[in-house]
Amino acid sequence: MFSLHEGSGLLLLLLLAGLQIAAEARGAPPCSPGFSEDLYTVVVPDITEKGWPLFNVKFVSCGRGGLVRFECSNPSDFRIEDNGVVYAARTLQRTPAPASPLLIKAVDTTTQQQWVTQVKMMPPTQVQELAVPPLMSKNFEEIVFPPQNADSTLKRIKRDWVIPPINVPENSRGPFPQELVRIRSDHDKNRSLRYSVTGPGADQPPTGIFTIDPISGELSVNKPLDREHIPSFHLRAHAVDLNGNQVENPIDIVINVIDMNDNRPEFTHQIWNGTVPEGSKPGTFVMTVTSIDKDDPKTANGMLRYKILSQNPESPSSNMFTINNKTGGIITVAAGLDREKVPQYTLIIQATDMEGNPMYGLSNTATAVIRVTDINDNPPEFTAETFFGEVPENAVNVIVANLTVTDKDQPNTPAWNAVYKITGGDPTGRFSVPTDPTTNEGLVTVVKPIDYEISRMYVLTVEARNEVSLARGIHPPKQSTATVSIRVTDVNESPYFDPNPKLIRLEEGMLPESTLTMFTAQDPDRYMQQTIRYSKLSDLANWLRIDPGTGRISTIAILDRESPYVKNSLYNATFLATDNGKPPASGTGTLQIYLVDINDNAPKVYPHEAEICEKPEPNAINITALDGDLNPNAGPFAFELPHRPQDVKRNWTLTRLNGDYAQMSLKIGFLESGIYEVPIIITDSGNLPMSNTSYLRIKVCQCDMNGDCTDQQHIMAAGLGTGAIISILLCIIILLILVLMFVVWMKRRDKERQAKQLLIDPEDDVRDNILKYDEEGGGEEDQDYDLSQLQQPDTLEPDAIKPVGIRRLDERPLHPEPQYPMRSAAPHPGDIGDFINEGLKAADNDPTAPPYDSLLVFDYEGSGSTAGSLSSLNSSSSGGDQDYDYLNDWGPRFRKLADMYGGSDD
């Protein structure tokens, strides 16, 4: 099995020896059950996590097997298993050595026999004071759990040892590698073994931190450790022979990195912001500042303490705040916080580790800004005791006066915003005082009309408060109440009719120039001497007239209840009353006339048209009467047929159904189809009954078995009204006009096409066009063309031909000249035309002729011409007496030439 030994005098050697083989049975003493030691001394680390094994107690059971149960005196901190291994029941921190050792009791569950031993636990610091290596006591007692067998014969068995954690300080300066422990197995006495360790820090990342000498088993650390990076390492030690065979079970080694104070506290924020209401009592919480130390918080290295270094400003006291040195909570310790005097405090907070030890601890600072928030500790105060205003009567929603206040609280907060209330002088509620949200002023506003004739002056009492109540113990001063004096000015008010509307009751049919009533208005301006004039504003039927001075209303037409302007027997007319004030004021009044019905309308038959079959069965028409009057001047009605013409009673019969309806039917067996106008006498039930003869238009037609007129009969009997006939005729006339216009337009278009065929192309019309040629030649010096050839081509002398050597550079080369035709000297109307056509043919057959457009050059007349210039053509002796009238017979192309040369001197 494995054991740990002290190495180099520097580290504690922990020897885990194997269980010794019991003495040979020969001469061995009898087995006595109990603990191997009465007192065990063990070393425990400063911090022990829950579930860590601490030590093992050895109990000799003498073959009792699993009948022994272990108990400890402190079960809340320690837990002991059946194999005697003691574990931490919770996370344990370094504490002073207990006054009494830990008691462990073993109880035989069968015989209830008990055995007790003591365990003295020592922290590493106490071991250092005793000049013992820092990891474990040199005299660490080996605690071996005894083997359990059924008989008293001792046999060698394997035992698993629980190794207490190895503590290594972080940031060690070496030298490296630094030996920690030595691992050894008791099998190395008779064979060569090789040792190795595995786990994070050895053969797993981060690798190379721990190494072991494979022969000696010395476990060493190769570099400084950082607890903030890795607080502990869990390794496993192995022992094998030279063939790689495992000779011992692997053992677990826990290496704890002991924290050193190598990290300064760091505040989570460099600037902390907090608030506290002004006037707060001492002990009022403000805020909490927090600092973090990367060192172990379970040791003094990570235990922080806070304190306030400075306060700015130091008013009204230099110690207005204090801080909880452990939690960082800031509270007030003095009264007198007043935002109007000191709106903000700045504190410098210091955090120190090592429980605030100024000599060994590391410190850091941060800033705490505490803003004093406003409370309503200053009431609003009016800037004046009395305010004045003026308002015209009847004005509404106008501002009369502006009330100004001052408030020392923070602007635009509920403690500063003013609320105004009228406490006196306005019993009828004609004023209100809303607040201007920008200036915080009170706006005295009229909300109900004020009558100058009733009250000429108002004196209001207004109180100013804030949106929130004043702080406790503060009362509003006298300046929070003011007086508002408002003077009312008189204005010209409109006259008014009373009552309005005015209702009168009259019988219809009242004759014109009848007086109906007096409709007058009153002037509310009692202090103004004014007169009122009346006029008519609305009279839809134009029945009434009002006297401008007295307001007497009379009729100018007969009142008719059946008029379309009368609704439900009521007729409304509106009149205007205007005073003579400056400016004038006017008011309107409505007169309602209830017209009582009289029997002035005779009844009429309804419906006006009906259909009936030629034969009596089925044959019936239900009719009624329409009367514009109301009952009792309307129904019930009396229906009857007149005596004349005689065929009415011979063909028709009228039966009364009730007071409003009667039935018309054929009296004879057959009546020819057609339309018949049947007179009917209808009499109403008025006090003076009125009768009327109405004509019922009856269409007699052939009917089917259901009694309905057939479609053919409908078509034959259906007549078109005058409007429909006129519409059809208008459509036919419009259609004929459109057709006629289209024909005229087509004829005009044909004429235009025929006229256009007689016209020449504008480019060929020599009468009114100037011909444009592409080349005008090289000037007069290289032109020998003689215009007289056109008049007398046979007079051209052979010697007039230009010498051979005198030619233009661009002139055609010399070739045999073609035979162009020669015209006789005697002119003839057809000679010049034949001459031109023959010349054209000759030019077409001339290969030396230039393009047709290059010969169109007429800017040089040639030398020795019979005509001196173009202007002399008319005065030339050779052509002045020539007759050019024959050119008119050649068509429109030569008619212009005939006008130029054959015309008169005009």
Side-chain angles (χ1 to χ4, degrees):
M1 64 179 301
F2 286 114
S3 61
L4 300 179
H5 295 272
E6 179 183 8
S8 304
L10 298 176
L11 299 174
L12 176 65
L13 176 64
L14 178 61
L15 176 62
L16 300 177
L19 180 65
Q20 301 294 329
I21 304 298
E24 294 182 357
R26 185 187 317 166
C31 180
S32 175
F35 290 100
S36 61
E37 298 291 340
D38 294 333
L39 177 64
Y40 296 94
T41 302
V42 298
V43 178
V44 297
D46 294 336
I47 299 176
T48 303
E49 298 292 340
K50 179 180 179 180
W52 280 12
L54 300 178
F55 53 87
N56 189 4
V57 294
K58 179 181 178 182
F59 184 82
V60 180
S61 62
C62 296
R64 296 177 181 267
L67 301 178
V68 178
R69 184 182 72 251
F70 295 98
E71 298 177 358
C72 67
S73 61
N74 190 2
S76 61
D77 295 337
F78 303 98
R79 172 174 55 87
I80 186 171
E81 299 292 338
D82 293 339
N83 57 4
V85 179
V86 179
Y87 297 88
R90 61 181 181 87
T91 301
L92 303 176
Q93 297 184 7
R94 184 189 66 184
T95 56
S100 58
L102 179 67
L103 300 180
I104 295 179
K105 179 172 63 175
V107 180
D108 190 335
T109 58
T110 302
T111 63
Q112 299 301 321
Q113 184 178 0
Q114 298 181 1
W115 297 269
V116 179
T117 185
Q118 299 181 11
V119 180
K120 182 178 181 181
M121 292 177 289
M122 300 176 60
T125 55
Q126 186 174 357
V127 176
Q128 294 175 2
E129 295 174 358
L130 298 175
V132 182
L135 293 182
M136 194 169 290
S137 174
K138 185 174 181 179
N139 297 325
F140 178 76
E141 184 69 28
E142 184 183 34
I143 304 176
V144 180
F145 191 80
Q148 300 179 8
N149 52 337
D151 51 15
S152 59
T153 304
L154 295 177
K155 296 182 179 180
R156 179 180 177 88
I157 61 173
K158 287 190 175 182
R159 295 169 296 165
D160 293 334
W161 290 87
V162 179
I163 308 301
I166 301 172
N167 298 324
V168 180
E170 66 172 334
N171 303 326
S172 176
R173 298 183 179 179
F176 296 102
Q178 182 177 359
E179 183 179 343
L180 299 180
V181 294
R182 178 177 298 171
I183 300 174
R184 189 182 66 84
S185 173
D186 54 0
H187 291 286
D188 61 355
K189 297 179 180 180
N190 51 12
R191 70 174 97 174
S192 297
L193 301 180
R194 294 294 181 265
Y195 301 97
S196 63
V197 291
T198 59
D203 62 340
Q204 299 177 16
T207 60
I209 297 179
F210 299 98
T211 58
I212 189 171
D213 189 312
I215 299 177
S216 63
E218 293 180 357
L219 179 65
S220 304
V221 59
N222 299 322
K223 61 179 66 175
L225 304 179
D226 187 0
R227 190 205 67 84
E228 288 73 33
H229 183 215
I230 302 177
S232 63
F233 296 89
H234 296 265
L235 304 179
R236 174 164 286 193
H238 307 269
V240 297
D241 57 15
L242 297 179
N243 294 326
N245 298 320
Q246 177 178 321
V247 298
E248 295 282 0
N249 291 331
I251 61 173
D252 294 327
I253 301 176
V254 178
I255 300 176
N256 291 330
V257 182
I258 303 302
D259 183 45
M260 305 295 289
N261 192 19
D262 56 344
N263 290 279
R264 189 180 298 274
E266 296 290 341
F267 284 92
T268 56
H269 301 286
Q270 197 58 34
I271 297 179
W272 297 79
N273 294 297
T275 59
V276 61
E278 63 175 332
S280 296
K281 296 181 179 180
T284 302
F285 174 79
V286 180
M287 62 178 176
T288 300
V289 297
T290 305
S291 180
I292 298 176
D293 196 320
K294 295 180 181 180
D295 291 327
D296 190 356
K298 300 176 182 179
T299 65
N301 300 332
M303 296 181 181
L304 307 181
R305 296 296 183 266
Y306 300 92
K307 72 175 181 178
I308 298 176
L309 296 181
S310 64
Q311 170 191 309
N312 184 34
E314 298 180 353
S315 174
S317 170
S318 59
N319 295 318
M320 296 295 296
F321 304 93
T322 186
I323 188 171
N324 188 306
N325 63 346
K326 292 183 179 180
T327 64
I330 299 176
I331 60 175
T332 60
V333 293
L337 291 174
D338 190 349
R339 188 202 65 85
E340 288 73 30
K341 295 180 180 179
V342 181
Q344 180 175 290
Y345 289 90
T346 301
L347 307 180
I348 303 300
I349 310 298
Q350 183 185 58
T352 306
D353 58 15
M354 296 300 293
E355 297 181 320
N357 190 322
M359 181 176 297
Y360 303 105
L362 303 177
S363 302
N364 208 339
T365 60
T367 302
V369 178
I370 302 175
R371 183 172 58 89
V372 181
T373 59
D374 186 37
I375 63 172
N376 193 15
D377 57 345
N378 294 280
E381 298 180 0
F382 285 100
T383 58
E385 294 183 1
T386 305
F387 296 87
F388 299 92
E390 183 178 282
V391 60
E393 64 172 333
N394 298 323
V396 180
N397 296 326
V398 295
I399 298 176
V400 178
N402 289 22
L403 311 182
T404 57
V405 295
T406 60
D407 197 318
K408 297 179 182 179
D409 291 322
Q410 185 175 356
N412 301 316
T413 62
W416 180 81
N417 297 334
V419 178
Y420 301 89
K421 180 181 179 181
I422 299 176
T423 58
D426 185 24
T428 58
R430 300 185 179 274
F431 299 91
S432 68
V433 189
T435 304
D436 189 324
T438 303
T439 62
N440 208 30
E441 295 179 350
L443 308 177
V444 181
T445 307
V446 181
V447 295
K448 292 182 181 180
I450 301 174
D451 193 352
Y452 173 82
E453 286 72 25
I454 297 177
S455 178
R456 303 182 185 182
M457 178 71 70
Y458 287 88
V459 179
L460 308 179
T461 302
V462 181
E463 181 184 33
R465 296 181 180 180
N466 293 120
E467 292 181 354
V468 295
S469 302
L470 289 173
R472 181 178 299 178
I474 299 178
H475 302 283
K478 180 181 178 182
Q479 291 79 4
S480 295
T481 303
T483 301
V484 183
S485 179
I486 301 173
R487 186 173 67 89
V488 183
T489 60
D490 190 16
V491 297
N492 186 22
E493 299 179 78
S494 301
Y496 63 94
F497 290 89
D498 188 25
N500 189 17
K502 182 177 182 180
L503 177 64
I504 60 176
R505 185 183 180 92
L506 300 173
E507 279 191 357
E508 64 172 330
M510 183 171 289
L511 297 178
E513 303 301 331
S514 300
T515 300
L516 302 184
T517 185
M518 298 293 294
F519 196 30
T520 58
Q522 300 178 10
D523 193 344
D525 296 316
R526 298 196 304 264
Y527 303 101
M528 297 182 183
Q529 299 300 326
Q530 298 180 144
T531 59
I532 298 177
R533 303 287 293 178
Y534 301 95
S535 61
K536 185 170 61 174
L537 187 62
S538 174
D539 181 14
L540 299 179
N542 198 22
W543 288 344
L544 307 177
R545 178 176 57 221
I546 188 170
D547 186 280
T550 62
R552 182 175 63 88
I553 297 177
S554 58
T555 62
I556 58 177
I558 297 177
L559 305 183
D560 186 8
R561 192 199 66 83
E562 289 75 30
S563 170
Y565 302 107
V566 178
K567 306 296 181 183
N568 298 325
S569 301
L570 279 178
Y571 179 73
N572 295 326
T574 305
F575 299 93
L576 183 69
T578 306
D579 61 20
N580 61 345
K582 295 183 180 179
S586 60
T588 61
T590 301
L591 178 65
Q592 291 184 337
I593 303 175
Y594 183 84
L595 296 175
V596 180
D597 184 42
I598 63 176
N599 192 14
D600 57 348
N601 291 278
K604 298 179 182 180
V605 67
Y606 183 82
H608 305 293
E609 297 179 356
E611 293 181 353
I612 197 169
C613 298
E614 295 176 337
K615 297 181 179 180
E617 294 181 2
N619 228 9
I621 300 173
N622 291 332
I623 61 174
T624 186
L626 296 179
D627 195 329
D629 296 325
L630 300 176
N631 292 328
N633 295 322
F637 302 99
F639 302 89
E640 62 177 336
L641 295 175
H643 296 283
R644 294 186 180 183
Q646 296 180 358
D647 58 347
V648 173
K649 284 195 172 184
R650 183 177 64 249
N651 296 336
W652 307 94
T653 180
L654 186 62
T655 304
R656 187 174 183 272
L657 299 179
N658 53 39
D660 294 328
Y661 290 91
Q663 190 176 76
M664 174 76 73
S665 60
L666 279 175
K667 190 175 183 180
I668 60 178
F670 176 80
L671 185 63
E672 185 180 357
S673 298
I675 298 176
Y676 298 86
E677 299 284 345
V678 180
I680 301 175
I681 301 175
I682 306 176
T683 306
D684 60 21
S685 300
N687 190 12
L688 295 176
M690 294 190 68
S691 297
N692 181 34
T693 300
S694 298
Y695 287 87
L696 177 61
R697 181 187 176 99
I698 301 177
K699 181 170 58 178
V700 180
C701 59
Q702 295 180 0
C703 298
D704 55 14
M705 62 177 58
N706 297 324
D708 298 328
C709 290
T710 60
D711 293 340
Q712 183 178 1
Q713 293 296 325
H714 279 285
I715 295 172
M716 292 175 59
L720 295 176
T722 304
I725 295 174
I726 294 175
S727 300
I728 294 174
L729 292 177
L730 288 176
C731 292
I732 294 174
I733 293 172
I734 293 173
L735 182 61
L736 292 176
I737 292 174
L738 292 177
V739 172
L740 181 60
M741 292 177 62
F742 179 74
V743 172
V744 172
W745 177 76
M746 290 297 294
K747 289 184 178 181
R748 185 175 180 181
R749 184 178 179 186
D750 292 340
K751 291 181 179 180
E752 290 179 355
R753 289 181 178 177
Q754 294 175 2
K756 288 183 179 179
Q757 293 177 358
L758 298 177
L759 297 177
I760 64 173
D761 189 77
E763 296 181 357
D764 298 332
D765 191 359
V766 298
R767 295 175 298 172
D768 53 1
N769 286 278
I770 299 177
L771 299 178
K772 180 181 179 182
Y773 299 93
D774 295 335
E775 183 179 355
E776 297 181 354
E780 296 181 354
E781 295 180 356
D782 56 0
Q783 282 289 344
D784 295 330
Y785 191 79
D786 190 0
L787 289 177
S788 62
Q789 297 182 34
L790 295 177
Q791 299 176 352
Q792 298 176 350
D794 54 338
T795 60
L796 182 62
E797 297 294 333
D799 57 354
I801 300 176
K802 180 170 56 176
V804 178
I806 304 176
R807 305 191 65 84
R808 281 174 45 184
L809 294 178
D810 59 343
E811 196 171 320
R812 66 182 181 181
L814 295 177
H815 291 285
E817 294 292 333
Q819 297 299 325
Y820 286 91
M822 301 298 294
R823 187 170 67 89
S824 62
H828 188 273
D831 289 348
I832 189 169
D834 297 337
F835 172 77
I836 292 177
N837 292 329
E838 293 176 0
L840 179 59
K841 294 179 181 180
D844 292 337
N845 297 325
D846 186 5
T848 63
Y852 70 93
D853 55 347
S854 64
L855 293 177
L856 302 177
V857 180
F858 304 101
D859 57 346
Y860 185 66
E861 299 178 0
S863 59
S865 175
T866 58
S869 64
L870 290 176
S871 62
S872 64
L873 290 177
N874 191 32
S875 60
S876 175
S877 60
S878 61
D881 298 334
Q882 188 173 351
D883 184 11
Y884 293 97
D885 293 336
Y886 62 88
L887 294 176
N888 293 323
D889 301 333
W890 292 3
R893 295 176 181 271
F894 295 95
R895 193 171 297 149
K896 186 66 176 178
L897 291 176
D899 295 339
M900 294 174 60
Y901 294 98
S904 63
D905 295 340
D906 296 335

